[in-house]
Amino acid sequence: MSDKAMWLKSPAAVFTGNEFNAGNGVVVKGNKIIELVPSGQNPKNTVDSYIDCSNMVITPGLINTHHHFYQTLTRCVPGAINKPLFPWLKFLYKVWAHLDEDMIYSATQLAGLELMLSGATCIADHHYVFPKGLENAIDIQVDAIKSLGCRATLTRGSMSLGESAGGLPPDSVIQNEDTILEDSQRLISQYHDRADDAFIQIALAPCSPFSVSTELMKDTATLASQNKVLLHTHLAETEDENNFCLREYGMRPLDYLESCDWLNSKTWLAHGIHFTPDEIQRLGKAKVGIAHCPSSNMLLASGICPTVDLENAGCNIGLAVDGSASNDCSNMIQEARQSLLQQRLRYGAEVITAEKVLSFATKGSAAVLQRPSLGEFKPGQQADIAMFSLNELRFSGVGSPLDALVTCGAYKVEKLMIAGKWVVEDEQHLDIDTAKLMSEHQILARKLQSRAVN
């Protein structure tokens, strides 16, 4: 970060996330954006340096709202391939029960790096697997995130309802509820930064209605309210989940959520597919956030999130790649393309545009994670910026560079800035040896999968 003003000059296109014109670029000073330069004009501020961005598309840093970093260790595992959600989970829980500290650190680094190289500056993770010996998983994640230099909302997930009590996960990966709540409070006190420019924030995230007790759902909501932190969980991902809630609780998932005191503006939900029109209106009235996960939903054949209906009702919609065992990829700019293609099947081409899905990935995601200083370009916002080069075969011949970023399938950034500091240049992270990380991660992945077999 420099106290000198830098002009990102003459880009091929700029997505600001709002009505402001930045056709001739963005001026950054310190950790903030200080000026948007309209087309045909020069900066009003004195600039100390500039970068020629004439072959670049510039966007606010992308923001991922839901992930499971540890799942990078179990991509395309035989036994989990070609299965719907519940059988897929039943198989993989037995693998994830063997996670250890080295695996969590490496998986968090690798997932975070993959996201950053695809344009993400702020990332959210939902970690809920705490086998014996891995009680400090979130502490390990904090250290890994700091090594990357990105922002993160790390959620203290939980599972307390094992198979023996009618839940989905095996008893070996659950924890008792006092342990979960005590550790949740510890993590908030130790790591949660409430500042507008925060790098690390903590949220509380019981895994799902079929893996925690009603008491834990309610107690977690109370704890989150006392600490003024966000709540997160999976909800309405599949019809199987609806049937589970009807069978176990005598009500649909949203009614169950409301009965646990979760239906409010401090909650965001992963997936949000199987809602009735009335439920959509209730979600909107409560200002609940939704993490839209198109690739995962298609791969597991879960369904299509009604994003526009939810947004029109009053929900904030953010974009997410979901875990790397259901998406098998952690690429945010490609996820924007997946959203465009999937959502057009529901709402048509005139409604679902490149600008719409980029808005999900930036301003919408910032609203979901309640980070108002991120997600759009305007003076005073944090200088989190993604720059995509058009110097690739896939972009040759384009007429609209901004549309091309999504429809032609960009997949990597040329440069990435977080809080006014370059963290990626020439498509490489400045502090991480990618080849070394991949080698170590691959060894750990083989170790994990072999443990499960043996």
Side-chain angles (χ1 to χ4, degrees):
M1 182 177 71
S2 171
D3 60 358
K4 296 180 182 290
M6 176 189 296
W7 179 16
L8 306 179
K9 179 182 179 182
S10 305
V14 179
F15 176 74
T16 62
N18 51 44
E19 73 281 2
F20 291 110
N21 179 349
N24 205 22
V26 177
V27 181
V28 172
K29 185 175 182 180
N31 65 343
K32 293 183 177 179
I33 293 166
I34 63 167
E35 185 178 353
L36 304 183
V37 186
S39 301
Q41 297 185 27
N42 290 321
K44 295 176 181 178
N45 287 275
T46 300
V47 297
D48 300 289
S49 64
Y50 73 89
I51 295 176
D52 180 3
C53 302
S54 56
N55 202 35
M56 301 272 193
V57 176
I58 302 178
T59 75
L62 309 183
I63 300 171
N64 185 51
T65 56
H66 181 69
H67 205 308
H68 308 293
F69 294 161
Y70 71 89
Q71 291 183 11
T72 60
L73 295 158
T74 53
R75 301 190 220 237
C76 298
V77 174
I81 297 171
N82 303 328
K83 284 184 167 61
L85 179 65
F86 275 24
W88 174 87
L89 278 171
K90 293 281 279 185
F91 177 85
L92 284 170
Y93 277 142
K94 296 173 184 177
V95 181
W96 299 332
H98 299 277
L99 288 164
D100 63 28
E101 293 183 354
D102 290 340
M103 292 172 185
I104 290 297
Y105 187 89
S106 182
T108 300
Q109 263 199 329
L110 188 124
L113 179 59
E114 192 176 358
L115 288 164
M116 292 173 75
L117 294 177
S118 66
T121 53
C122 181
I123 59 183
D125 189 52
H126 186 185
H127 186 83
Y128 53 82
V129 181
F130 292 86
K132 189 175 181 180
L134 197 57
E135 291 81 5
N136 62 336
I138 308 301
D139 303 81
I140 295 168
Q141 288 195 303
V142 170
D143 289 341
I145 292 297
K146 287 180 177 178
S147 76
L148 294 168
C150 65
R151 305 182 199 271
T153 296
L154 298 174
T155 72
R156 205 302 180 180
S158 54
M159 295 194 294
S160 66
L161 193 67
E163 283 180 313
S164 63
L168 198 66
D171 290 354
S172 60
V173 298
I174 67 170
Q175 294 178 297
N176 72 64
E177 296 177 4
D178 287 342
T179 297
I180 291 166
L181 294 168
E182 288 171 10
D183 192 52
S184 296
Q185 182 62 65
R186 177 188 70 82
L187 291 166
I188 294 168
S189 300
Q190 187 167 346
Y191 297 117
H192 184 65
D193 185 350
R194 302 182 188 279
D196 286 345
D197 61 352
F199 270 72
I200 299 291
Q201 293 194 329
I202 301 295
L204 303 184
C207 180
S208 63
F210 46 82
S211 55
V212 300
S213 69
T214 300
E215 291 73 24
L216 183 59
M217 286 289 286
K218 291 180 176 180
D219 289 345
T220 301
T222 299
L223 187 63
S225 178
Q226 290 169 347
N227 286 274
K228 295 182 172 58
V229 299
L230 300 182
L231 285 168
H232 182 50
T233 193
H234 299 93
L235 202 82
E237 183 176 359
T238 67
E239 289 290 2
D240 284 342
E241 181 187 324
N242 287 348
N243 295 334
F244 178 92
C245 287
L246 286 167
R247 184 176 68 251
E248 296 296 322
Y249 307 121
M251 61 185 90
R252 286 174 56 82
L254 187 63
D255 296 319
Y256 176 69
L257 197 76
E258 185 171 21
S259 75
C260 295
D261 302 319
W262 275 60
L263 196 58
N264 60 67
S265 63
K266 287 293 188 180
T267 294
W268 93 96
L269 306 173
H271 305 295
I273 297 170
H274 297 282
F275 292 126
T276 66
D278 174 68
E279 289 171 340
I280 289 172
Q281 293 305 309
R282 289 164 59 197
L283 286 160
K285 185 177 180 180
K287 303 297 181 185
V288 171
I290 304 292
H292 163 45
C293 309
S295 292
S296 173
N297 296 160
M298 288 188 284
L299 194 143
L300 293 174
S302 301
I304 299 176
C305 177
T307 57
V308 175
D309 298 88
L310 287 160
E311 191 174 49
N312 288 342
C315 294
N316 291 311
I317 307 297
L319 192 65
V321 299
D322 199 9
S324 296
S326 63
N327 184 333
D328 299 315
C329 178
S330 300
N331 190 299
M332 273 298 290
I333 192 61
Q334 286 195 345
E335 200 67 32
R337 185 173 190 267
Q338 293 285 68
S339 176
L340 180 131
L341 297 175
Q342 184 208 55
Q343 291 292 304
R344 281 189 172 183
L345 293 174
R346 188 174 192 124
Y347 296 110
E350 293 181 349
V351 174
I352 304 299
T353 63
E355 288 88 347
K356 185 69 171 176
V357 295
L358 287 172
S359 181
F360 289 160
T362 54
K363 189 175 181 179
S365 287
V368 166
L369 297 182
Q370 299 191 13
R371 295 206 176 209
S373 67
L374 309 181
E376 60 180 319
F377 288 157
K378 62 182 180 182
Q381 292 291 96
Q382 287 291 302
D384 288 12
I385 298 171
M387 299 173 61
F388 297 87
S389 172
L390 297 176
N391 189 28
E392 294 185 54
L393 289 173
R394 70 186 65 225
F395 297 120
S396 183
V398 304
S400 170
L402 183 60
D403 287 277
L405 186 68
V406 176
T407 60
C408 295
Y411 69 99
K412 59 185 177 182
V413 286
E414 177 75 16
K415 299 170 77 71
L416 192 72
M417 175 183 284
I418 301 177
K421 177 184 177 182
W422 295 116
V423 291
V424 173
E425 294 196 71
D426 299 322
E427 303 176 0
Q428 297 294 320
H429 195 287
L430 297 179
D431 296 323
I432 301 294
D433 184 333
T434 302
K436 181 181 178 184
L437 174 58
M438 287 173 57
S439 176
E440 293 170 348
H441 180 271
Q442 187 64 46
I443 290 169
L444 291 167
R446 291 192 184 113
K447 183 179 179 182
L448 175 62
Q449 293 175 39
S450 68
R451 281 179 182 174
V453 171
N454 297 328

